[in-house]
Amino acid sequence: MYSDRRDEIPLLILACFLAGFSDVANGLRLTGTEGEAITVSCSHSNAYTNTKYFCRGECTHSDVLITSKGPNTAKYRITDRGNDFDVTIYNLEVKDSGLYWCGIDRVGVDTYTRVDLTVDKKAVTDMPGESKDAARDSETVVYVGAGLGICFGVLVLVLLLFFLQRRRRLGASSADPDEKPDRRSADSPDQAAVIYSDVTLNRASSTPTSPRPSVVPPSEEVTYSTVRGADASVPSVWH
């Protein structure tokens, strides 16, 4: 019976050895934000020269996203630090959420570290580009509104001054005491006053009375006219 137990010892040691290599390390739970990057740090023992890789899902050959022996991509970047290695995922998307594995290529059975990744959708208010654009647009609107307000105020002030000045001129012209109505006066020196005076003289015939009364020569009538113009000191006599 002892000998039978002694024969089981190598099998137990081999099972423990294989179990150690096939063991899955404590998993990681990470949360990222849409549009940003996240770095997954994986640590394994006795893996200094081994090939490291990062895979998703069932981690078959087609599920491998990047290896330490291959080139980096725009989406994934791996950094080998011996027993540890880091994998950076850029430009996270919501669809990147899921199960990943950090794997170590070993002889026999590979070892893995489970990674559960959750990507949250980014809030609109947290986008710096859109925030800057919105702030710039609002600032432009404020400047334009202020400029239009100043122009409108200046226009109103100019119109107000114009109407006040016009009203003042109309009031001054209607209240001017020196202004006289346009009327003609005979006493005005600028107006010509004309006075007509007619004088009629009957000139009798110088001949003696004729013995024939039936024949009487006609008498001569002489009319004198005096016209006084604007200058009364210089009369004009018309015959």
Side-chain angles (χ1 to χ4, degrees), residues 111-167:
T111 56
Y112 301 92
T113 299
R114 179 187 177 113
V115 179
D116 290 297
L117 176 62
T118 301
V119 179
D120 295 333
K121 190 172 181 62
K122 192 169 188 178
V124 177
T125 55
D126 295 333
M127 294 183 180
E130 293 187 2
S131 300
K132 291 180 180 179
D133 294 340
R136 190 180 300 109
D137 294 340
S138 61
E139 185 177 357
T140 303
V141 171
V142 170
Y143 287 153
V144 173
L148 292 177
I150 293 175
C151 294
F152 181 75
V154 172
L155 179 60
V156 170
L157 181 61
V158 170
L159 291 176
L160 182 61
L161 292 177
F162 172 77
F163 284 115
L164 288 177
Q165 186 70 15
R166 184 174 181 181
R167 183 176 180 182

Side-chain angles (χ1 to χ4, degrees), residues 2-77:
Y2 177 78
S3 61
D4 293 337
R5 290 182 178 178
R6 193 171 52 180
D7 293 338
E8 294 177 358
I9 291 177
L11 296 177
L12 293 175
I13 295 175
L14 180 61
C16 291
F17 179 79
L18 294 176
F21 276 97
S22 62
D23 186 24
V24 177
N26 295 331
L28 302 175
R29 291 186 178 272
L30 303 176
T31 301
T33 305
E34 184 181 19
E36 298 180 358
I38 192 171
T39 299
V40 181
S41 297
C42 303
S43 179
H44 295 265
S45 59
N46 301 320
Y48 193 84
T49 59
N50 296 72
T51 301
K52 288 83 174 175
Y53 58 92
F54 190 69
C55 57
R56 184 175 184 178
E58 296 181 359
C59 201
T60 59
H61 181 74
S62 61
D63 296 327
V64 176
L65 303 174
I66 191 171
T67 68
S68 59
K69 298 298 183 180
N72 294 318
T73 64
K75 182 70 174 179
Y76 302 98
R77 181 182 182 87

